[in-house]
Amino acid sequence: MTDTTTLTSASAPAAPTAPTTPIASTLRANHEATPATIAPAQFRALMSTFPTGVAVVTTGGPEDPPRGLTVSSVSSVSLDPPTLLVCLNRSSRTLESVLERRTFAVNLLHAGARSAATLFASGDPHRFDAVEWANSAEFGGPHLVRDAHAVADCRVSRTLRVGDHEVIFGEIFRVEQDRPEDVDPLLYGMRTFASWPAAAA
């Protein structure tokens, strides 16, 4: 408890004060104490415990060479306007084509499409020869006819460079979708593919 007489008495000696630290020094010390970033292997191990859906992002017009790759980094962003985001490696030729055309399609894969997910993750230059797909001037990119239970056609609304990836924000202008109650989505987690569990239905 504070002794109030020391606050009012003119004869009382002043209470000792703790030495002050300049703000700049404090900020510098805090900055220097910030731990280094974790290793990529640690980050992969962390994110492997967070199962996600699986999609193939495609791009290219009807007269263009089709491009596409498997991603699990898909997220909704906004309802109005309807916007999602995908994260693409900056070394990807698919990203190069997306940035050039400014449109792309997000093919959400069903549980029976594990082979397509593996194929489009492999970098096989002939991957489109091994799947059934369709394209049109109305699409954002090729649609995987047999492997996708839903497709969102998007136009690029903005991009953001983060490390070795580019975050692509896509405003959805067209959707093709099967009946949701009839679909078992493909999932990826713990470094393996899995089906949506029947118990969760």
Side-chain angles (χ1 to χ4, degrees):
M1 178 180 294
T2 302
D3 182 356
T4 56
T5 60
T6 62
L7 299 179
T8 57
S9 173
S11 60
T17 57
T20 58
T21 303
I23 293 177
S25 298
T26 302
L27 294 176
R28 183 165 53 251
N30 289 341
H31 177 72
E32 291 171 352
T34 301
T37 56
I38 63 172
Q42 289 179 286
F43 183 61
R44 292 191 191 98
L46 170 69
M47 297 311 298
S48 73
T49 64
F50 187 70
T52 65
V54 184
V56 171
V57 171
T58 59
T59 190
E63 307 303 323
D64 304 326
R67 306 283 187 201
L69 79 170
T70 302
V71 300
S72 57
S73 52
V74 179
S75 178
S76 61
V77 176
S78 166
L79 188 62
D80 184 18
T83 302
L84 55 73
L85 68 77
V86 296
C87 300
L88 305 181
N89 195 297
R90 287 172 52 198
S91 65
S92 164
R93 296 185 69 181
T94 299
L95 172 62
E96 181 182 339
S97 185
V98 166
L99 296 178
E100 179 180 339
R101 294 198 71 249
R102 309 300 293 179
T103 66
F104 61 96
V106 179
N107 294 265
L108 304 182
L109 303 187
H110 56 67
R114 299 185 191 196
S115 60
T118 302
L119 175 66
F120 278 85
S122 70
D124 185 336
H126 306 293
R127 51 193 177 273
F128 278 94
D129 296 336
V131 296
E132 184 176 345
W133 57 281
N135 206 354
S136 163
E138 300 177 355
F139 297 172
H143 290 193
L144 303 186
V145 176
R146 294 189 179 275
D147 297 300
H149 66 83
V151 184
D153 292 300
C154 308
R155 63 177 61 90
V156 176
S157 59
R158 63 176 299 185
T159 64
L160 176 65
R161 178 172 294 186
V162 180
D164 56 6
H165 277 62
E166 196 87 13
V167 184
I168 309 296
F169 294 83
E171 185 174 329
I172 303 171
F173 62 85
R174 188 177 184 279
V175 168
E176 284 190 5
Q177 185 173 18
D178 295 335
R179 286 160 43 97
E181 62 270 24
D182 295 336
V183 171
D184 290 327
L186 182 62
L187 304 179
Y188 185 76
M190 304 302 291
R191 297 175 179 166
T192 188
F193 293 109
S195 303
W196 184 261

